[in-house]
Amino acid sequence: MKFNEDSRVKIPAILHCMRLGYDYISLKNTTYIKDEKTNIFTDVFLKSLKKINPEVAVEELKNYLEEILLTLEYEDLGKSFYEKLINKSGLRIIDFDNFENNTFQVVTELTYKNGQDEFRPDITLLVNGMPLVFVEVKKPNNKDGILAEHKRIQTRFKNSKFRNFANITQLMIF
């Protein structure tokens, strides 16, 4: 077996996520609908929200999605989105009371793109279709690789073209 970053770190990390209950999505064979400006898988998002908020009409959920998409454009480092994320009254986008109502998915190499600028985290974790976490993996003992990746993401997230992605990201793991 060839020992590289994928076999030593990425695949074991994905398998661990799957053992924790995440479903693996192959981006090559997916039919999911994705909002290109935010990487929200909108069909998963709407289906998950309907499960969490069964009394809310689908049209209202679609309007709430549009509201969230606008919120992700704010220059507030994601604070407004975070407040919606943790909201426990009214329309909820994560069910903190009954975690089984949420949809957990893991993907690799999800492209974060705006115009000519783009990057692809090694692993992205989606909760209810929202890319809330990304993970950059490096071979063991590759200290400079992690530091370089950290510097690259700092530079990317200072770029206003990536504001939507920065505002939705709740956790970055290196």
Side-chain angles (χ1 to χ4, degrees):
M1 171 180 235
K2 185 176 174 185
F3 292 107
N4 57 29
E5 194 172 271
D6 284 352
S7 67
R8 297 289 303 260
V9 188
K10 188 191 296 187
I11 293 171
I14 292 166
L15 290 172
H16 184 70
C17 289
M18 292 172 68
R19 283 191 291 271
L20 291 173
Y22 284 80
D23 292 323
Y24 175 75
I25 299 175
S26 169
L27 293 177
K28 293 177 185 172
N29 302 320
T30 189
T31 59
Y32 291 117
I33 301 165
K34 180 174 61 99
D35 177 74
E36 297 296 328
K37 291 182 182 177
T38 62
N39 279 347
I40 293 175
F41 286 64
T42 55
D43 51 341
V44 175
F45 178 84
L46 292 170
K47 183 178 178 184
S48 298
L49 260 64
K50 186 64 179 168
K51 185 175 181 182
I52 295 169
N53 307 279
E55 70 287 352
V56 178
V58 173
E59 200 56 42
E60 189 176 338
L61 295 175
K62 288 180 181 178
N63 290 338
Y64 196 66
L65 172 60
E66 291 301 318
E67 184 180 322
I68 287 173
L69 297 177
L70 288 174
T71 301
L72 291 172
E73 295 179 10
Y74 293 175
E75 292 187 42
D76 65 353
L77 297 175
K79 184 176 188 251
S80 298
F81 173 72
Y82 176 74
E83 289 170 358
K84 289 182 181 309
L85 192 66
I86 63 170
N87 184 24
K88 291 185 85 175
S89 63
L91 197 80
R92 295 175 299 146
I93 56 178
I94 293 182
D95 191 338
F96 290 102
D97 297 325
N98 186 1
F99 235 52
E100 293 78 35
N101 277 343
N102 299 297
T103 304
F104 298 96
Q105 297 166 310
V106 59
V107 298
T108 61
E109 305 293 333
L110 178 64
T111 302
Y112 288 61
K113 184 175 182 169
N114 188 334
Q116 298 300 316
D117 298 322
E118 68 177 62
F119 67 99
R120 280 183 309 281
D122 293 322
I123 301 170
T124 303
L125 302 179
L126 303 153
V127 179
N128 296 335
M130 299 174 291
L132 300 181
V133 178
F134 72 76
V135 182
E136 286 293 343
V137 299
K138 297 293 175 224
K139 291 185 287 189
N141 302 318
N142 186 354
K143 179 184 168 202
D144 292 336
I146 291 292
L147 293 175
E149 194 61 52
H150 183 262
K151 285 180 183 176
R152 279 193 291 275
I153 202 63
Q154 283 181 317
T155 302
R156 287 177 187 133
F157 276 12
K158 287 178 185 175
N159 182 343
S160 63
K161 289 184 175 184
F162 293 125
R163 179 175 297 124
N164 293 345
F165 302 122
N167 284 348
I168 199 170
T169 301
Q170 299 300 300
L171 189 61
M172 293 177 265
I173 302 169
F174 296 92

